[in-house]
Coordinates of all heavy atoms in Angstrom, one line a residue:
M15 N 104.5 156.8 95.7 CA 104.5 158.2 95.2 C 104.1 159.1 96.3 O 103.2 158.8 97.2 CB 103.5 158.3 94.0 CG 103.5 159.7 93.5 SD 102.5 159.9 92.0 CE 103.1 158.7 90.9
E16 N 104.6 160.3 96.3 CA 104.3 161.3 97.3 C 102.9 161.8 97.1 O 102.4 162.0 96.0 CB 105.3 162.4 97.1 CG 105.2 163.6 98.0 CD 106.2 164.6 97.7 OE1 107.2 164.4 97.1 OE2 106.0 165.8 98.2
R17 N 102.2 162.1 98.3 CA 100.9 162.7 98.2 C 101.0 164.2 98.5 O 101.8 164.6 99.3 CB 100.0 162.0 99.3 CG 99.7 160.6 98.9 CD 98.6 160.1 99.9 NE 98.2 158.8 99.5 CZ 97.1 158.5 98.9 NH1 96.3 159.4 98.5 NH2 96.8 157.2 98.6
Y18 N 100.2 164.9 97.8 CA 100.1 166.4 98.0 C 98.9 166.8 98.8 O 97.9 166.2 98.7 CB 100.1 167.1 96.6 CG 101.3 167.0 95.8 CD1 101.5 166.1 94.8 CD2 102.4 167.8 96.1 CE1 102.7 166.0 94.1 CE2 103.6 167.8 95.4 CZ 103.7 166.9 94.4 OH 104.9 166.8 93.7
P19 N 99.1 167.8 99.6 CA 97.9 168.3 100.3 C 96.9 168.9 99.3 O 97.3 169.4 98.2 CB 98.4 169.4 101.2 CG 99.9 169.6 100.9 CD 100.3 168.5 99.9
P20 N 95.6 168.9 99.6 CA 94.6 169.4 98.7 C 94.9 170.9 98.2 O 94.6 171.2 97.1 CB 93.3 169.4 99.5 CG 93.5 168.2 100.4 CD 95.0 168.3 100.8
A21 N 95.4 171.7 99.1 CA 95.7 173.1 98.7 C 96.8 173.2 97.6 O 96.7 174.0 96.7 CB 96.2 173.9 99.9
T22 N 97.7 172.3 97.6 CA 98.8 172.2 96.6 C 98.2 171.8 95.2 O 98.5 172.4 94.2 CB 99.9 171.3 97.0 OG1 100.5 171.7 98.2 CG2 101.0 171.2 95.9
I23 N 97.3 170.8 95.3 CA 96.7 170.3 94.1 C 95.8 171.4 93.5 O 95.8 171.7 92.3 CB 95.9 169.0 94.3 CG1 96.9 167.9 94.7 CG2 95.0 168.6 93.1 CD1 96.3 166.6 95.2
C24 N 95.0 172.1 94.3 CA 94.1 173.1 93.9 C 94.9 174.3 93.3 O 94.6 174.8 92.2 CB 93.2 173.6 95.0 SG 92.0 172.5 95.5
G25 N 96.0 174.7 93.9 CA 96.8 175.7 93.4 C 97.5 175.4 92.1 O 97.5 176.2 91.2
A26 N 98.0 174.2 92.0 CA 98.6 173.8 90.8 C 97.6 173.7 89.6 O 97.9 174.1 88.5 CB 99.3 172.4 90.9
S27 N 96.4 173.2 89.9 CA 95.4 173.2 88.9 C 94.9 174.6 88.5 O 94.7 174.8 87.3 CB 94.2 172.3 89.3 OG 93.5 172.9 90.4
A28 N 94.8 175.5 89.4 CA 94.3 176.8 89.1 C 95.4 177.5 88.2 O 95.1 178.2 87.2 CB 94.1 177.6 90.3
L29 N 96.7 177.3 88.6 CA 97.8 177.9 87.8 C 97.8 177.4 86.4 O 98.0 178.1 85.4 CB 99.1 177.7 88.5 CG 100.3 178.3 87.8 CD1 100.2 179.8 87.8 CD2 101.6 177.8 88.6
T30 N 97.6 176.1 86.3 CA 97.7 175.4 85.0 C 96.5 175.9 84.1 O 96.7 176.2 82.9 CB 97.6 173.9 85.1 OG1 98.6 173.5 85.9 CG2 97.7 173.2 83.8
I31 N 95.3 176.0 84.7 CA 94.2 176.5 83.9 C 94.4 178.0 83.5 O 94.2 178.3 82.3 CB 92.9 176.4 84.7 CG1 92.5 175.0 84.9 CG2 91.7 177.2 84.1 CD1 91.4 174.7 86.0
A32 N 94.9 178.8 84.4 CA 95.2 180.2 84.0 C 96.2 180.3 82.9 O 96.0 181.1 81.9 CB 95.6 181.0 85.2
L33 N 97.3 179.6 83.0 CA 98.3 179.6 81.9 C 97.8 179.1 80.6 O 98.1 179.6 79.5 CB 99.5 178.8 82.4 CG 100.3 179.5 83.5 CD1 101.4 178.5 84.0 CD2 100.9 180.8 83.1
A34 N 97.0 178.0 80.6 CA 96.4 177.4 79.4 C 95.5 178.4 78.7 O 95.6 178.6 77.5 CB 95.7 176.1 79.7
V35 N 94.6 179.1 79.5 CA 93.7 180.0 78.9 C 94.5 181.2 78.4 O 94.2 181.8 77.2 CB 92.6 180.4 79.9 CG1 91.8 181.6 79.4 CG2 91.7 179.3 80.2
M36 N 95.5 181.7 79.1 CA 96.2 182.9 78.7 C 97.0 182.5 77.4 O 97.0 183.3 76.5 CB 97.2 183.3 79.8 CG 98.0 184.5 79.5 SD 99.1 185.0 80.9 CE 100.2 183.7 81.0
A37 N 97.6 181.4 77.3 CA 98.4 181.0 76.1 C 97.4 180.9 74.9 O 97.8 181.3 73.8 CB 99.1 179.7 76.4
H38 N 96.2 180.3 75.2 CA 95.2 180.2 74.1 C 94.9 181.5 73.5 O 94.9 181.7 72.3 CB 94.0 179.5 74.7 CG 92.9 179.3 73.7 ND1 92.7 178.1 73.0 CD2 91.9 180.1 73.3 CE1 91.7 178.2 72.2 NE2 91.2 179.4 72.3
E39 N 94.5 182.5 74.4 CA 94.1 183.8 73.9 C 95.3 184.6 73.3 O 95.1 185.3 72.3 CB 93.4 184.6 75.0 CG 92.1 184.0 75.5 CD 91.1 183.7 74.4 OE1 91.1 184.5 73.4 OE2 90.3 182.8 74.5
W40 N 96.4 184.5 73.9 CA 97.6 185.2 73.3 C 98.0 184.6 71.9 O 98.5 185.3 71.0 CB 98.8 185.1 74.2 CG 98.8 186.3 75.1 CD1 98.5 186.3 76.5 CD2 99.1 187.7 74.8 NE1 98.6 187.6 77.0 CE2 99.0 188.4 76.0 CE3 99.5 188.3 73.6 CZ2 99.2 189.8 76.0 CZ3 99.8 189.7 73.7 CH2 99.6 190.4 74.8
A41 N 97.7 183.3 71.7 CA 98.0 182.8 70.4 C 97.0 183.4 69.3 O 97.5 183.7 68.2 CB 97.8 181.2 70.4
H42 N 95.8 183.7 69.7 CA 94.9 184.4 68.8 C 95.4 185.8 68.5 O 95.3 186.2 67.4 CB 93.5 184.4 69.4 CG 92.7 183.1 69.4 ND1 92.6 182.3 68.4 CD2 92.1 182.5 70.5 CE1 91.9 181.2 68.7 NE2 91.6 181.3 70.0
V43 N 95.8 186.5 69.5 CA 96.3 187.8 69.3 C 97.5 187.8 68.4 O 97.6 188.6 67.4 CB 96.8 188.5 70.7 CG1 97.6 189.7 70.5 CG2 95.6 188.8 71.5
L44 N 98.5 186.9 68.6 CA 99.7 186.9 67.8 C 99.3 186.5 66.3 O 99.9 187.0 65.4 CB 100.7 186.0 68.4 CG 101.3 186.5 69.7 CD1 102.3 185.4 70.3 CD2 102.0 187.8 69.5
A45 N 98.5 185.5 66.2 CA 98.1 185.1 64.8 C 97.3 186.2 64.1 O 97.5 186.4 62.9 CB 97.2 183.8 64.9
G46 N 96.4 186.9 64.8 CA 95.7 188.0 64.2 C 96.6 189.1 63.8 O 96.5 189.7 62.7
W47 N 97.6 189.4 64.6 CA 98.5 190.5 64.3 C 99.4 190.0 63.1 O 99.7 190.8 62.2 CB 99.4 190.8 65.5 CG 100.5 191.8 65.3 CD1 100.4 193.1 65.1 CD2 101.9 191.5 65.2 NE1 101.6 193.7 64.9 CE2 102.5 192.7 64.9 CE3 102.6 190.3 65.2 CZ2 103.9 192.7 64.8 CZ3 104.0 190.4 65.1 CH2 104.6 191.6 64.8
W48 N 99.9 188.8 63.2 CA 100.8 188.3 62.1 C 100.1 188.2 60.8 O 100.7 188.5 59.7 CB 101.2 186.9 62.5 CG 102.0 186.2 61.5 CD1 103.3 186.4 61.1 CD2 101.6 185.2 60.6 NE1 103.7 185.6 60.1 CE2 102.6 184.8 59.7 CE3 100.3 184.5 60.4 CZ2 102.5 183.8 58.7 CZ3 100.2 183.6 59.4 CH2 101.3 183.3 58.6
A49 N 98.8 188.0 60.8 CA 98.0 187.9 59.5 C 97.6 189.2 59.0 O 97.0 189.3 57.9 CB 96.8 187.0 59.7
G50 N 97.9 190.3 59.7 CA 97.6 191.6 59.2 C 96.4 192.3 59.9 O 96.0 193.4 59.5
G51 N 95.9 191.7 61.0 CA 94.8 192.3 61.7 C 95.3 193.3 62.8 O 96.6 193.4 62.9
A52 N 94.4 193.9 63.5 CA 94.8 194.8 64.6 C 94.0 194.5 65.8 O 93.0 195.0 66.1 CB 94.5 196.2 64.1
P53 N 94.5 193.5 66.6 CA 93.9 193.2 67.9 C 93.9 194.4 68.8 O 94.9 195.1 68.9 CB 94.7 192.0 68.5 CG 95.6 191.6 67.3 CD 95.7 192.7 66.4
T54 N 92.8 194.7 69.5 CA 92.7 195.8 70.4 C 92.2 195.5 71.8 O 92.5 196.2 72.7 CB 91.7 196.9 69.8 OG1 90.4 196.2 69.6 CG2 92.2 197.4 68.5
L55 N 91.6 194.3 72.0 CA 91.1 193.9 73.3 C 91.4 192.4 73.5 O 91.1 191.6 72.7 CB 89.6 194.2 73.4 CG 89.0 193.7 74.7 CD1 89.5 194.6 75.9 CD2 87.5 193.8 74.6
L56 N 92.0 192.1 74.7 CA 92.2 190.7 75.0 C 91.6 190.5 76.4 O 91.8 191.2 77.4 CB 93.7 190.5 75.1 CG 94.2 189.2 75.7 CD1 93.8 188.0 74.8 CD2 95.7 189.2 76.0
T57 N 90.7 189.5 76.5 CA 90.1 189.1 77.7 C 90.4 187.6 77.9 O 91.1 187.0 77.1 CB 88.6 189.3 77.8 OG1 87.9 188.4 76.9 CG2 88.2 190.8 77.4
A58 N 89.9 187.0 79.0 CA 90.1 185.6 79.2 C 89.3 184.7 78.3 O 89.6 183.5 78.2 CB 89.7 185.3 80.7
T59 N 88.4 185.3 77.6 CA 87.5 184.5 76.7 C 87.5 184.9 75.3 O 86.9 184.2 74.4 CB 86.1 184.4 77.2 OG1 85.6 185.7 77.3 CG2 86.0 183.7 78.6
E60 N 88.1 186.0 74.9 CA 88.0 186.5 73.5 C 89.0 187.5 73.2 O 89.6 188.1 74.1 CB 86.6 187.1 73.2 CG 86.3 188.4 73.9 CD 85.0 189.0 73.6 OE1 84.5 188.8 72.5 OE2 84.4 189.6 74.5
V61 N 89.2 187.7 71.9 CA 90.1 188.7 71.4 C 89.3 189.5 70.4 O 88.6 189.0 69.5 CB 91.3 188.1 70.6 CG1 92.1 189.2 70.0 CG2 92.2 187.3 71.6
R62 N 89.3 190.8 70.6 CA 88.6 191.7 69.6 C 89.6 192.6 68.9 O 90.6 192.9 69.4 CB 87.6 192.6 70.4 CG 86.4 191.8 70.9 CD 85.4 192.7 71.5 NE 84.3 192.0 72.2 CZ 83.3 192.6 72.8 NH1 83.3 193.9 72.9 NH2 82.4 191.8 73.3
G63 N 89.1 193.1 67.8 CA 90.0 194.0 67.0 C 89.4 194.1 65.6 O 88.4 193.6 65.3
D64 N 90.2 194.8 64.8 CA 89.8 194.9 63.4 C 90.6 193.8 62.6 O 91.8 193.9 62.3 CB 90.3 196.3 62.9 CG 89.9 196.5 61.4 OD1 89.1 195.8 60.9 OD2 90.4 197.5 60.8
F65 N 89.8 192.8 62.2 CA 90.3 191.7 61.4 C 89.7 191.7 60.0 O 89.7 190.6 59.3 CB 90.1 190.4 62.1 CG 90.7 190.3 63.5 CD1 89.9 190.3 64.6 CD2 92.1 190.3 63.6 CE1 90.5 190.3 65.9 CE2 92.7 190.3 64.9 CZ 91.9 190.2 66.0
T66 N 89.2 192.8 59.5 CA 88.6 192.9 58.2 C 89.6 192.7 57.1 O 89.2 192.3 56.0 CB 87.8 194.2 58.0 OG1 88.7 195.3 58.2 CG2 86.7 194.3 59.0
S67 N 90.8 193.0 57.3 CA 91.8 192.9 56.2 C 92.5 191.5 56.1 O 93.3 191.3 55.2 CB 93.0 193.9 56.5 OG 93.6 193.6 57.7
L68 N 92.0 190.6 56.9 CA 92.6 189.2 56.9 C 92.2 188.5 55.7 O 91.0 188.6 55.3 CB 92.2 188.4 58.1 CG 93.2 188.5 59.3 CD1 93.4 189.9 59.8 CD2 92.7 187.5 60.4
S69 N 93.1 187.7 55.1 CA 92.8 186.8 54.0 C 92.0 185.6 54.6 O 92.0 185.4 55.8 CB 94.0 186.4 53.3 OG 94.8 185.6 54.1
P70 N 91.5 184.8 53.7 CA 90.8 183.6 54.2 C 91.8 182.7 55.0 O 91.4 182.1 56.0 CB 90.3 182.8 52.9 CG 90.1 184.0 52.0 CD 91.2 185.0 52.2
S71 N 93.0 182.6 54.5 CA 94.0 181.8 55.3 C 94.3 182.5 56.6 O 94.6 181.8 57.6 CB 95.2 181.5 54.5 OG 95.9 182.7 54.1
G72 N 94.3 183.8 56.7 CA 94.5 184.5 57.9 C 93.4 184.3 58.9 O 93.7 184.1 60.1
F73 N 92.2 184.2 58.4 CA 91.1 183.8 59.4 C 91.2 182.4 59.9 O 90.9 182.1 61.1 CB 89.7 184.0 58.7 CG 89.2 185.4 58.7 CD1 89.1 186.1 57.5 CD2 88.8 185.9 59.9 CE1 88.6 187.4 57.6 CE2 88.3 187.2 59.9 CZ 88.2 188.0 58.8
V74 N 91.7 181.5 59.1 CA 91.9 180.1 59.5 C 93.0 180.1 60.6 O 92.9 179.5 61.6 CB 92.3 179.2 58.3 CG1 92.8 177.8 58.8 CG2 91.1 179.0 57.4
A75 N 94.1 180.9 60.3 CA 95.2 180.9 61.3 C 94.7 181.6 62.6 O 95.0 181.1 63.7 CB 96.3 181.7 60.7
L76 N 93.9 182.6 62.5 CA 93.3 183.3 63.7 C 92.5 182.3 64.5 O 92.6 182.2 65.7 CB 92.5 184.5 63.3 CG 91.8 185.3 64.4 CD1 92.8 185.9 65.3 CD2 90.9 186.3 63.8
G77 N 91.6 181.5 63.8 CA 90.7 180.6 64.5 C 91.4 179.4 65.1 O 91.1 178.9 66.2
A78 N 92.4 178.9 64.4 CA 93.1 177.7 64.8 C 94.2 177.9 65.8 O 94.6 176.9 66.5 CB 93.6 176.9 63.6
S79 N 94.7 179.1 65.9 CA 96.0 179.3 66.7 C 95.8 178.9 68.1 O 96.7 178.3 68.7 CB 96.4 180.8 66.5 OG 95.4 181.6 67.0
G80 N 94.7 179.3 68.8 CA 94.6 178.9 70.2 C 94.5 177.4 70.4 O 95.2 177.0 71.3
S81 N 93.8 176.7 69.6 CA 93.7 175.3 69.8 C 95.1 174.6 69.5 O 95.5 173.6 70.1 CB 92.7 174.7 68.9 OG 91.4 175.1 69.4
L82 N 95.8 175.1 68.5 CA 97.1 174.6 68.2 C 98.1 174.7 69.4 O 98.9 173.8 69.7 CB 97.7 175.2 66.9 CG 97.0 174.8 65.6 CD1 97.5 175.6 64.5 CD2 97.1 173.3 65.4
V83 N 98.1 175.9 70.0 CA 98.9 176.1 71.2 C 98.6 175.2 72.3 O 99.4 174.5 72.9 CB 98.9 177.6 71.6 CG1 99.5 177.8 73.0 CG2 99.6 178.4 70.6
N84 N 97.2 175.0 72.5 CA 96.8 174.1 73.6 C 97.2 172.6 73.2 O 97.5 171.8 74.1 CB 95.3 174.2 73.8 CG 95.0 175.5 74.5 OD1 94.1 176.2 74.1 ND2 95.6 175.8 75.6
L85 N 97.1 172.3 72.0 CA 97.5 170.9 71.5 C 99.0 170.7 71.8 O 99.4 169.7 72.2 CB 97.2 170.7 70.1 CG 97.4 169.3 69.5 CD1 96.5 168.3 70.2 CD2 97.1 169.3 68.0
L86 N 99.8 171.7 71.5 CA 101.2 171.7 71.8 C 101.5 171.4 73.3 O 102.3 170.6 73.7 CB 101.9 172.9 71.3 CG 103.4 173.0 71.7 CD1 104.2 172.0 70.9 CD2 103.9 174.4 71.4
F87 N 100.8 172.2 74.2 CA 101.0 172.0 75.6 C 100.4 170.7 76.1 O 101.0 170.1 77.0 CB 100.3 173.2 76.4 CG 101.1 174.5 76.3 CD1 100.4 175.7 76.3 CD2 102.4 174.5 76.2 CE1 101.1 176.9 76.2 CE2 103.1 175.7 76.1 CZ 102.4 176.9 76.1
C88 N 99.4 170.2 75.4 CA 98.8 168.9 75.8 C 99.9 167.8 75.4 O 100.1 166.9 76.2 CB 97.6 168.6 75.0 SG 96.8 167.1 75.3
A89 N 100.6 168.0 74.3 CA 101.7 167.0 74.0 C 102.8 167.1 74.9 O 103.4 166.1 75.3 CB 102.1 167.3 72.5
V90 N 103.1 168.3 75.4 CA 104.2 168.5 76.4 C 103.8 167.7 77.7 O 104.6 167.0 78.3 CB 104.5 169.9 76.8 CG1 105.3 170.1 78.0 CG2 105.1 170.6 75.6
G91 N 102.5 167.8 78.1 CA 102.0 167.1 79.3 C 102.1 165.6 79.1 O 102.5 164.8 80.0
W92 N 101.7 165.1 77.9 CA 101.8 163.7 77.6 C 103.2 163.2 77.6 O 103.5 162.2 78.2 CB 101.2 163.5 76.2 CG 101.3 162.0 75.8 CD1 102.1 161.5 74.8 CD2 100.5 160.9 76.2 NE1 101.9 160.2 74.7 CE2 100.9 159.8 75.5 CE3 99.4 160.8 77.1 CZ2 100.3 158.6 75.7 CZ3 98.9 159.6 77.3 CH2 99.3 158.5 76.7
W93 N 104.1 164.0 77.0 CA 105.5 163.6 77.0 C 106.1 163.5 78.4 O 106.8 162.6 78.8 CB 106.3 164.7 76.2 CG 107.8 164.4 76.2 CD1 108.5 163.5 75.4 CD2 108.8 165.1 76.9 NE1 109.8 163.6 75.7 CE2 110.0 164.6 76.6 CE3 108.7 166.2 77.8 CZ2 111.2 165.1 77.1 CZ3 109.9 166.7 78.4 CH2 111.1 166.1 78.0
T94 N 105.7 164.5 79.3 CA 106.1 164.5 80.7 C 105.6 163.3 81.4 O 106.3 162.7 82.2 CB 105.6 165.8 81.4 OG1 106.1 166.9 80.7 CG2 106.1 165.8 82.8
L95 N 104.4 162.9 81.1 CA 103.8 161.7 81.8 C 104.5 160.4 81.3 O 104.6 159.4 82.1 CB 102.3 161.6 81.5 CG 101.4 162.6 82.3 CD1 100.0 162.5 81.7 CD2 101.5 162.2 83.7
R96 N 105.0 160.4 80.1 CA 105.6 159.2 79.5 C 107.0 159.0 80.0 O 107.6 157.9 79.8 CB 105.5 159.2 78.0 CG 104.1 159.3 77.4 CD 103.3 158.1 77.7 NE 103.9 157.0 76.9 CZ 103.6 155.8 77.2 NH1 102.8 155.4 78.1 NH2 104.2 154.8 76.5
R97 N 107.7 160.0 80.5 CA 109.1 159.9 80.9 C 109.1 159.3 82.3 O 108.3 159.6 83.1 CB 109.7 161.3 81.0 CG 109.9 162.0 79.7 CD 110.4 163.4 79.8 NE 111.6 163.4 80.7 CZ 112.9 163.3 80.3 NH1 113.1 163.2 79.0 NH2 113.9 163.4 81.1
P98 N 110.1 158.4 82.4 CA 110.2 157.7 83.8 C 110.7 158.8 84.8 O 111.6 159.5 84.5 CB 111.3 156.7 83.5 CG 112.0 157.0 82.3 CD 111.0 157.9 81.5
S99 N 110.0 158.8 85.9 CA 110.4 159.8 86.9 C 110.1 159.2 88.3 O 109.1 158.5 88.5 CB 109.6 161.1 86.8 OG 109.9 162.0 87.8
T100 N 111.0 159.5 89.2 CA 110.8 159.0 90.6 C 110.2 160.1 91.4 O 109.9 159.9 92.6 CB 112.1 158.6 91.2 OG1 113.1 159.6 91.2 CG2 112.7 157.4 90.4
Q101 N 110.1 161.3 90.9 CA 109.5 162.4 91.6 C 108.1 162.6 91.2 O 107.7 162.4 90.0 CB 110.3 163.7 91.4 CG 111.8 163.6 91.8 CD 112.5 164.8 91.4 OE1 112.2 165.5 90.5 NE2 113.6 165.1 92.2
A102 N 107.3 163.1 92.1 CA 105.9 163.3 91.8 C 105.6 164.6 91.1 O 104.6 164.8 90.5 CB 105.1 163.2 93.1
E103 N 106.5 165.6 91.3 CA 106.2 166.9 90.7 C 106.1 166.9 89.2 O 105.1 167.5 88.7 CB 107.3 168.0 91.2 CG 107.2 168.4 92.6 CD 107.9 167.4 93.5 OE1 108.5 166.4 93.1 OE2 107.9 167.7 94.7
P104 N 107.0 166.3 88.5 CA 106.8 166.2 87.0 C 105.5 165.5 86.6 O 104.8 165.9 85.7 CB 108.0 165.5 86.5 CG 109.0 165.6 87.6 CD 108.2 165.7 88.9
L105 N 105.1 164.5 87.4 CA 103.9 163.8 87.1 C 102.6 164.7 87.3 O 101.7 164.7 86.5 CB 103.8 162.5 87.8 CG 104.8 161.5 87.5 CD1 104.7 160.3 88.5 CD2 104.7 161.1 86.1
L106 N 102.7 165.5 88.4 CA 101.6 166.4 88.7 C 101.5 167.4 87.6 O 100.4 167.7 87.1 CB 101.8 167.0 90.0 CG 100.7 168.0 90.5 CD1 99.4 167.2 90.8 CD2 101.1 168.7 91.8
F107 N 102.6 168.0 87.2 CA 102.6 169.0 86.1 C 102.1 168.4 84.8 O 101.3 168.9 84.1 CB 104.0 169.6 85.9 CG 104.2 170.3 84.6 CD1 103.7 171.5 84.5 CD2 104.8 169.6 83.6 CE1 103.8 172.2 83.2 CE2 105.0 170.3 82.3 CZ 104.5 171.6 82.2
G108 N 102.6 167.2 84.5 CA 102.3 166.5 83.2 C 100.8 166.2 83.2 O 100.1 166.4 82.2
W109 N 100.2 165.8 84.3 CA 98.8 165.4 84.3 C 98.0 166.7 84.1 O 97.1 166.7 83.3 CB 98.4 164.7 85.6 CG 97.0 164.6 85.7 CD1 96.2 165.1 86.6 CD2 96.1 163.8 84.9 NE1 94.9 164.8 86.4 CE2 94.8 164.0 85.3 CE3 96.3 163.0 83.8 CZ2 93.7 163.4 84.7 CZ3 95.3 162.4 83.1 CH2 94.0 162.6 83.6
F110 N 98.2 167.7 84.9 CA 97.4 168.9 84.7 C 97.6 169.6 83.3 O 96.6 170.0 82.7 CB 97.8 170.0 85.8 CG 97.1 169.7 87.1 CD1 97.9 169.7 88.3 CD2 95.8 169.4 87.2 CE1 97.3 169.4 89.5 CE2 95.2 169.1 88.5 CZ 96.0 169.1 89.6
C111 N 98.8 169.6 82.8 CA 99.1 170.2 81.5 C 98.3 169.4 80.4 O 97.7 169.9 79.6 CB 100.6 170.2 81.3 SG 101.1 171.2 79.9
F112 N 98.4 168.0 80.5 CA 97.7 167.2 79.6 C 96.2 167.3 79.7 O 95.5 167.5 78.7 CB 98.1 165.7 79.8 CG 97.4 164.7 78.9 CD1 97.7 164.6 77.6 CD2 96.4 163.9 79.5 CE1 97.0 163.7 76.8 CE2 95.7 163.0 78.7 CZ 96.0 162.9 77.3
A113 N 95.7 167.3 80.9 CA 94.2 167.3 81.1 C 93.6 168.6 80.7 O 92.6 168.7 80.0 CB 93.9 166.9 82.5
V114 N 94.2 169.7 81.2 CA 93.6 171.0 81.0 C 93.6 171.4 79.5 O 92.7 171.8 78.9 CB 94.2 172.1 81.9 CG1 93.8 173.5 81.5 CG2 93.9 171.8 83.3
N115 N 94.8 171.3 78.9 CA 95.0 171.7 77.5 C 94.2 170.7 76.6 O 93.7 171.2 75.6 CB 96.5 171.8 77.2 CG 97.1 173.0 77.8 OD1 96.9 174.1 77.3 ND2 97.9 172.8 78.8
G116 N 94.2 169.4 76.9 CA 93.4 168.5 76.1 C 91.9 168.8 76.2 O 91.2 168.8 75.2
A117 N 91.4 169.3 77.3 CA 90.0 169.6 77.4 C 89.7 170.9 76.6 O 88.7 171.0 76.0 CB 89.7 169.9 78.9
L118 N 90.7 171.8 76.6 CA 90.4 173.1 75.8 C 90.5 172.8 74.3 O 89.7 173.4 73.6 CB 91.5 174.1 76.2 CG 91.3 174.8 77.5 CD1 92.5 175.7 77.8 CD2 90.0 175.6 77.6
V119 N 91.3 171.8 73.9 CA 91.3 171.5 72.5 C 90.0 170.8 72.1 O 89.5 171.0 71.0 CB 92.5 170.6 72.2 CG1 92.5 170.0 70.8 CG2 93.8 171.4 72.3
T120 N 89.5 169.9 72.9 CA 88.4 169.1 72.5 C 87.0 169.7 72.8 O 86.0 169.1 72.4 CB 88.5 167.7 73.2 OG1 88.5 167.9 74.6 CG2 89.7 167.0 72.7
T121 N 86.9 170.8 73.5 CA 85.6 171.4 73.7 C 85.4 172.6 72.9 O 86.2 173.2 72.3 CB 85.5 171.8 75.2 OG1 86.5 172.7 75.5 CG2 85.5 170.6 76.1

């Protein structure tokens, strides 16, 4: 298998982390909006807005949406790792996608 320089590994991991966090928070925004709330602020660690009009199931959707998206990306990483490949790039992507999103789901 091909070896990557440390800078490539660091860059790939930083990109994967950024995309995983961004997808997590955007899932909260979309779920909040879909459930009838009004998201007004999005940061790397939270979503703020007026969610007082949400039903109990809307609050569940708002809370679970980020983890569900990360679980989906974790499954994509797992699927990528399970596919036979002679190239190292898909394995690097699969590993980072699986590890980062799996960590976000379980913490």
